[in-house]
Amino acid sequence: MAAALVAVASCGFGGGRPELPQHPAARQFDLLVSEQNGYYYPPFLREQPAGAEAQSYAVRALAELGRRPRVSASADRVAALRREALASSPLWGREWLVALRRAGATGVLDAGDARAVRRLRADGGWYVDPALGDGTDAARLGATWAALGVLEALGRLDDLSAAERNRTADWLSSRVTEGLPADQKAALAGSLRLLGRSVPARIAAVAAPRTAHWTALSPDDRVELLSDTYHYVLVREAADLRPVVDRGLWEAVLREGADVLPYEQLYWVVHILKAAGADGDSFEGVGERLGAARLDDGTLRDPSVYLGDPESSLFVERLRALAGWPRRDLRLLAAVEREEASGEASQDGGDRLSRAAVRRLAGGEGAGGDDAGRLCAAGGVLPGVVTAGNAAQWQRAALNCADAGATGAIAAPRVEAWELGGPDAVVAAATVVVGFADAGLPGRTPTWIARGALRPWARSPERFVSLYDYSLVVRAYALLGGELDRPLRSALERGVVPYRGCPGLPDLFRVRAGDPACDLKTTWGVWALDRAWGGVMGWVPGSGTGAGRGTGAGR
């Protein structure tokens, strides 16, 4: 009965899985599927809080459930949320921040905000939000409701003089007309309530929106009906009257939409049901979703808005290949096709090559093709001369060429020698070694990059700023015939093991100490290193005999 509201909550690209059965550990990648475009997104997004508006509704929903949310975000995070909110709307943006202030966020609103709100008051008694303009009653009513709500939250509503209160109340009363939309009725009723005035009977007596025709509505119309019902409830509450709603319908909507509704709509449904007297069991799915979305500082993430990209998707497919897991992924192939059919896909050579590599690794028919061959041939995306400055660019392009099936087109570049006098120079040299191996040219590695020169660096993880850089150096050492002896094992225990795992992604690796988020490229570096040692470190989960062919797995 309620299923179609869910269709509005996302574009429908998330939740799909590869066509072939998955190893249990492979399912952690399902967390990284973008609901917006079907690509995989970088894991660091999971450690970013939702935007100010979505954050506000998520915190309100928790409060409605009696969870007493507490937000202890850092000054920098609070400042970022505040900047975003005020850039969107000087009045509604501040109203979004009220929920965070009530949850304990320090510095999110202060006395200066009350003064800023007061300056947005018009002589006629209403308030003007510069983001909405002053041309319609709808804009004025919404801005006035938001402004009074912010002043009330800051304890500054009493700063309004009696004359100011009367003028605002008189203007609001003059807006009571037949046919006023539900959201404007709610703004009018809520504003009068904040001013301590009664809600006019013509507004308070509004009937609940009809829901009998729910199944015949389009997804957009269902969202409109949800909005109308939510605002109807607000009107009745402002008038101290009990709302009458179809509780069974909205419970069904929440059951099917608890995991996917945008936070704003999720809050609306929760508020409707709380007003209708629904018990705790009705909200179990909401509590689980919001609980899983909470970050350590009490803010909440919003995975429904994360955008995936071909590069992140490439690394997911490379990791599957290293583990020997099935890679045919129809959802990912569909994402590439949608992007290319949209007319908005980048035509840059590197971007075209990335998409070709994604198609091939995900099992697309005829993937790669002539375009990848042309891009990887001389004069294409691969530099003809490799230096310390462009080694990473060459290695990345060579790996993409290999994954796109264009290994045969890759010509061995000329590599200029440089001194291995510091970490950056050593990482660049290791990148060359790894790049030649991934490009199918291991015998062409320059002789001046020697195993003995890399040995002391492989045993010194503390000299590198990132785990990815260190993994490249150790893998290059292995590719050149280095031994996994006791000093190196000890170095790997210090330099790799502490960075394994992050929430929901136990087998992925973090970039460096102190980073809360995992990183796909870093994980590829570590897994490829493990495969170079034959899997003896156990960092690749569930890998079996024959795993790790291609995508940088060879020794």
Side-chain angles (χ1 to χ4, degrees):
M1 179 169 59
L5 183 61
V6 175
V8 188
S10 73
C11 298
F13 302 142
R17 290 185 176 179
E19 184 182 63
L20 298 177
Q22 296 192 88
H23 186 279
R27 296 195 181 104
Q28 60 196 302
F29 295 129
D30 293 344
L31 292 176
L32 304 179
V33 178
S34 168
E35 296 178 18
Q36 294 293 316
N37 61 11
Y39 281 119
Y40 293 93
Y41 60 77
F44 78 84
L45 291 177
R46 296 183 58 77
E47 300 304 318
Q48 303 299 309
E53 182 177 11
Q55 193 73 230
S56 175
Y57 284 109
V59 171
R60 291 183 201 190
L62 281 170
E64 287 269 5
L65 298 180
R67 299 297 180 89
R68 297 183 180 180
R70 301 303 297 170
V71 174
S72 57
S74 67
D76 287 344
R77 178 160 285 182
V78 167
L81 287 167
R82 180 178 164 84
R83 281 194 302 272
E84 178 195 341
L86 299 190
S88 296
S89 167
L91 279 179
W92 278 109
R94 286 184 166 91
E95 198 276 339
W96 298 336
L97 298 175
V98 167
L100 301 182
R101 184 176 191 272
R102 288 175 175 157
T106 303
V108 71
L109 287 172
D110 57 27
D113 291 289
R115 292 190 293 272
V117 168
R118 292 288 302 273
R119 288 194 293 270
L120 296 174
R121 179 183 171 88
D123 291 340
W126 61 85
Y127 290 77
V128 179
D129 190 328
L132 301 176
D134 190 31
T136 65
D137 278 352
R140 291 176 177 179
L141 284 168
T144 300
W145 189 21
L148 295 177
V150 172
L151 292 175
E152 189 271 339
L154 290 170
R156 306 302 293 270
L157 200 53
D158 289 341
D159 289 354
L160 294 175
S161 67
E164 288 174 321
R165 285 172 170 268
N166 288 336
R167 181 169 296 180
T168 298
D170 289 346
W171 175 78
L172 289 167
S173 297
S174 74
R175 300 302 94 191
V176 179
T177 60
E178 295 294 334
L180 202 63
D183 59 338
Q184 294 181 42
K185 289 179 181 177
L188 194 155
S191 297
L192 286 171
R193 177 65 179 262
L194 287 165
L195 291 170
R197 304 300 177 90
S198 298
V199 177
R202 291 172 62 187
I203 297 295
V206 61
R210 294 178 61 252
T211 57
H213 59 311
W214 175 267
T215 56
L217 295 178
S218 69
D220 287 344
D221 288 339
R222 293 184 183 191
V223 173
E224 183 177 355
L225 179 55
L226 168 59
S227 173
D228 288 348
T229 304
Y230 168 69
H231 289 103
Y232 154 78
V233 168
L234 295 184
V235 170
R236 300 288 286 184
E237 290 175 332
D240 288 323
L241 296 171
R242 183 175 180 274
V244 179
V245 299
D246 185 345
R247 176 172 156 179
L249 170 71
W250 297 114
E251 285 180 331
V253 168
L254 193 60
R255 277 195 304 272
E256 298 193 22
D259 289 337
V260 293
L261 284 171
Y263 285 152
E264 181 181 28
Q265 294 175 21
L266 186 71
Y267 170 71
W268 290 351
V269 181
V270 168
H271 191 84
I272 290 168
L273 286 171
K274 292 291 285 188
D279 58 28
D281 291 344
S282 300
F283 306 107
E284 183 177 353
V286 178
E288 290 177 355
R289 175 186 175 185
L290 295 179
R294 294 191 73 179
L295 300 171
D296 290 343
D297 63 5
T299 58
L300 292 95
R301 63 172 70 89
D302 185 7
S304 68
V305 302
Y306 299 160
L307 286 175
D309 59 82
E311 182 178 9
S312 297
S313 301
L314 255 181
F315 277 106
V316 167
E317 293 303 295
R318 287 167 178 159
L319 292 172
R320 284 191 176 125
L322 284 168
W325 297 331
R327 288 181 283 123
R328 183 157 178 77
D329 191 334
L330 298 182
R331 186 213 59 256
L332 181 54
L333 292 172
V336 178
E337 292 172 2
R338 274 192 303 271
E339 183 182 12
E340 294 186 335
S342 70
E344 299 178 358
S346 169
Q347 295 306 306
D348 172 79
D351 293 333
R352 283 167 27 221
L353 182 61
S354 291
R355 293 195 299 272
V358 170
R359 279 196 302 272
R360 180 171 177 269
L361 289 184
E365 299 296 331
D370 295 339
D371 190 38
R374 286 190 296 270
L375 289 168
C376 296
V381 297
L382 290 163
V385 178
V386 174
T387 66
N390 71 359
Q393 173 195 349
W394 177 83
Q395 179 266 340
R396 183 169 58 248
L399 180 58
N400 287 351
C401 287
D403 286 341
T407 307
I410 303 174
R414 178 169 62 85
V415 182
E416 294 184 353
W418 57 86
E419 293 291 330
L420 303 183
D424 290 345
V426 171
V427 170
T431 300
V432 171
V433 176
V434 167
F436 271 83
D438 293 345
L441 302 169
R444 307 294 294 275
T445 301
T447 56
W448 59 268
I449 307 176
R451 178 180 63 218
L454 297 183
R455 182 183 297 111
W457 295 93
R459 295 175 176 178
S460 305
E462 62 279 353
R463 302 181 73 176
F464 299 95
V465 298
S466 74
L467 174 54
Y468 178 71
D469 285 352
Y470 177 60
S471 72
L472 287 179
V473 171
V474 181
R475 185 177 164 213
Y477 176 65
L479 290 167
L480 293 174
E483 295 182 0
L484 184 58
D485 53 20
R486 181 171 297 178
L488 184 54
R489 281 182 179 272
S490 175
L492 293 172
E493 289 293 325
R494 300 192 315 273
V496 177
V497 174
Y499 309 122
R500 185 174 191 172
C502 52
L505 303 168
D507 297 306
L508 273 60
F509 287 79
R510 290 172 279 124
V511 175
R512 60 179 66 86
D515 278 2
C518 287
D519 179 71
L520 293 169
K521 184 174 75 170
T522 298
T523 303
W524 172 81
V526 173
W527 286 19
L529 168 59
D530 191 25
R531 296 308 309 168
W533 293 120
V536 298
M537 302 304 295
W539 296 328
V540 180
S543 58
T545 303
R549 299 181 185 279
T551 68
R555 176 163 177 172

